[in-house]
Amino acid sequence: QVQLVESGGGSVQPGGSLRLSCAASGRTFSSYAVAWFRQTPGQEREFVATISGGRSTTYYTYYTDSVKGRFTISRDNAKNMVFLQMNTLKPEDTAVYFCAASRVVVGSGSPNDYDYWGQGTQVTVSS
């Protein structure tokens, strides 16, 4: 069982930045694909970004179109951490952000493919 804990959420103005962190337990976490999803009340969980497991030279990253060029997903396997750097934030980025891990090396954009989930951290972007 892998346990994930998100942190780093908060309230920012449009155009601001936040860095979300996902702290993970588990000896095999470094091989797991990790993704960030977000969800607003009454909405389905939305894919944001994913990063593959394995060696850093083979990391694969993918982002949903709405965050490309603004968000960056990264990981530090030595610390069992995954990050989401969010720049140029927009009001529509407001959501609870979840990190999720899959036992496969390369993840997908489907929440059904992820086995472990954190509790989420709130991101609010408003004036």
Side-chain angles (χ1 to χ4, degrees):
Q1 184 73 30
V2 172
Q3 295 183 348
L4 307 172
V5 180
E6 303 96 336
S7 62
S11 182
V12 298
Q13 296 188 154
S17 298
L18 285 172
R19 181 178 173 86
L20 305 184
S21 299
C22 177
S25 64
R27 293 173 60 85
T28 59
F29 176 73
S30 62
S31 68
Y32 290 1
V34 176
W36 288 93
F37 291 82
R38 63 190 182 187
Q39 189 169 28
T40 56
Q43 303 295 315
E44 294 184 352
R45 194 160 295 182
E46 177 190 21
F47 170 76
V48 177
T50 189
I51 185 167
S52 65
R55 297 183 179 276
S56 62
T57 54
T58 61
Y59 284 164
Y60 163 86
T61 59
Y62 183 76
Y63 304 86
T64 192
D65 287 344
S66 64
V67 308
K68 286 181 179 177
R70 300 189 298 121
F71 291 11
T72 302
I73 188 170
S74 62
R75 67 192 301 163
D76 184 343
N77 286 335
K79 298 180 179 179
N80 266 14
M81 298 282 288
V82 173
F83 307 97
L84 185 68
Q85 178 67 45
M86 305 185 295
N87 298 325
T88 320
L89 283 161
K90 303 175 180 180
E92 50 263 47
D93 295 319
T94 296
V96 176
Y97 283 70
F98 300 88
C99 70
S102 172
R103 289 188 288 268
V104 302
V105 174
V106 179
S108 75
S110 173
N112 295 327
D113 292 334
Y114 292 84
D115 305 291
Y116 311 104
W117 293 83
Q119 295 298 306
T121 185
Q122 177 70 48
V123 171
T124 302
V125 185
S126 68
S127 299

